[in-house]
Amino acid sequence: MQLKKKLSARMRLKYVPPYAGAGDMPEPDMYVFTSAGQRISAHSKILASASPALESIIEKNQSTERKITISGVPFDAVHIFLQFMYFAKFSNEQMEKYGMHLLALSHVYSVQQLKQLARLCDAPDLYLKCMRFLTNNYKAVEETEAWKFLQDHDPHLELQILQYIDETELRRKRTRRHRREQSLYMQLSEAMDCLEHICSEGCTSVGPCEMDPNKHKGPCSKFSTCQGIQLLIKHFGACKKRANGGCSRCTRMWQLFKLHSSICDEPDECRVPLCRQFKLKAQQDGRGNDARWRLLVKKVASARAISSLSLAMRKRVDEPPDHVASSLGEEI
């Protein structure tokens, strides 16, 4: 007999009393059951006034023991959901932990006040936070009971979430592509600066014809691409396949010369080889022949301008103001 009592006590559903702070309310007249077999006492009139969906369920269930089941979400999420229908509030900690479940329940049971709160919440916005969580963890979420519950009860919300995930992935792809393109334009911009540096000042063993070959023996510290462009220039000067276009490295050097000429504002004074010739040829050919090339020139010129501005700003931040520098000089 004692064993039977113990077993029956273990199998008995866990009972959760009414909410603290509910005031002088009448006795609860119904139960809400959860997936874990727990039950929460509640007042049918309060649930019906907060949720049209629950009102419909309650009206259909006129038995002596009214009960509804909310499955697919944790017990605590159900408890907080019902608490919101009583007091129209919940804590930040509860929102952080069960925001996704509360949003799903608000859609399924048409609790409009909770829906609006999910979209208008500022710390941070619950709706966007849930969407981002679903986007970043979709494979794991797809296997949960909560997602299956949502699919069965609110296909419109499921479609809305899937559309958000698809749009987010498209934005990420565009962002990655834009970053790759910007990185390429910045590399070409640096290559243009490096080419001018080599042809005007000379670097290591490559430079203008009047450069002393005994100077500049150390590695270049100005540009990361300097060594590679020097090797390309040396190869270009000695290659025998250059004239008929049979060398890919020489073709790359021709393109760098042409790109520099398209950006250069002073071709008559420029020290970079073939700058003036390419400029004249471009004027003779007209501007309507190669739209892709013009776009590339525009993007590289823009990247170069941004690089110059950022360099000037860094110098301005690093250098002390004139009055500070003068006062330091006086102290020294």
Side-chain angles (χ1 to χ4, degrees), residues 233-246:
I233 291 173
K234 287 181 179 180
H235 171 84
F236 183 80
C239 183
K240 297 180 180 179
K241 298 179 182 179
R242 182 183 67 203
N244 57 12

Side-chain angles (χ1 to χ4, degrees), residues 35-280:
S35 300
Q38 297 157 308
R39 68 179 185 180
I40 305 170
S41 58
H43 299 83
S44 59
K45 289 184 178 180
I46 291 178
L47 301 192
S49 64
S51 166
L54 289 176
E55 181 182 17
S56 177
I57 296 171
I58 291 168
E59 286 179 355
K60 291 178 182 178
N61 186 1
Q62 297 296 333
S63 61
T64 54
E65 185 179 342
R66 289 181 177 179
K67 59 182 179 180
I68 60 172
T69 301
I70 299 179
S71 58
V73 294
F75 164 77
D76 288 340
V78 177
H79 193 269
I80 295 166
F81 177 63
L82 297 178
Q83 176 184 298
F84 180 85
M85 288 192 278
Y86 273 78
F87 306 110
K89 64 180 181 180
F90 46 74
S91 68
N92 289 335
E93 183 181 353
Q94 291 170 335
M95 181 182 67
E96 289 281 338
K97 193 170 183 180
Y98 298 106
M100 182 182 68
H101 303 96
L102 293 172
L103 183 59
L105 290 170
S106 72
H107 277 274
V108 172
Y109 294 104
S110 302
V111 181
Q112 296 299 327
Q113 192 176 0
L114 182 55
K115 281 186 182 182
Q116 293 170 7
L117 184 62
R119 286 171 171 80
L120 298 176
C121 182
D122 291 328
D125 183 87
L126 177 59
Y127 178 80
L128 287 177
K129 185 171 183 180
C130 291
M131 286 297 192
R132 288 168 184 160
F133 177 84
L134 288 166
T135 301
N136 296 329
N137 304 275
Y138 177 70
K139 288 185 178 180
V141 171
E142 192 180 20
E143 302 298 325
T144 63
E145 287 188 19
W147 182 257
K148 295 171 185 175
F149 177 80
L150 184 144
Q151 287 179 309
D152 294 337
H153 292 82
D154 199 339
H156 177 73
L157 177 58
E158 180 192 7
L159 177 61
Q160 186 179 347
I161 291 171
L162 293 176
Q163 287 176 339
Y164 181 90
I165 293 172
D166 187 52
E167 291 169 2
T168 301
E169 186 59 30
L170 287 176
R171 284 196 300 271
R172 286 176 177 175
K173 286 181 179 179
R174 285 196 296 266
T175 301
R176 287 194 293 266
R177 184 173 64 248
H178 177 73
R179 286 176 179 170
R180 288 195 299 267
E181 290 173 353
Q182 287 302 116
S183 176
L184 173 63
Y185 299 142
M186 292 301 294
Q187 289 174 18
L188 288 172
S189 170
E190 182 181 331
M192 295 299 98
D193 291 336
C194 183
L195 187 62
E196 290 182 13
H197 154 68
I198 293 172
C199 297
S200 302
E201 306 169 10
C203 187
T204 315
S205 59
V206 180
C209 55
E210 67 270 16
M211 187 188 84
D212 185 351
N214 295 321
K215 291 184 179 181
H216 306 288
K217 290 295 184 181
C220 180
S221 58
K222 277 190 174 182
F223 304 99
S224 59
T225 55
C226 193
Q227 184 64 27
I229 291 180
Q230 287 184 53
L231 294 173
L232 206 57
I233 291 173
K234 287 181 179 180
H235 171 84
F236 183 80
C239 183
K240 297 180 180 179
K241 298 179 182 179
R242 182 183 67 203
N244 57 12
C247 177
S248 60
R249 296 178 69 187
C250 290
T251 300
R252 199 177 310 141
M253 195 69 238
W254 280 115
Q255 289 173 341
L256 288 177
F257 283 141
K258 181 182 176 181
L259 182 58
H260 162 81
S261 176
S262 300
I263 296 172
C264 183
D265 296 327
E266 300 177 345
D268 294 331
E269 301 177 5
C270 184
R271 303 294 300 273
V272 177
L274 305 175
C275 179
R276 188 167 180 273
Q277 289 86 336
F278 272 117
K279 186 74 75 175
L280 291 172

Side-chain angles (χ1 to χ4, degrees), residues 296-310:
L296 174 64
V297 171
K298 181 180 177 181
K299 294 289 188 180
V300 173
S302 175
R304 199 176 189 192
I306 292 172
S307 178
S308 299
L309 286 172
S310 61

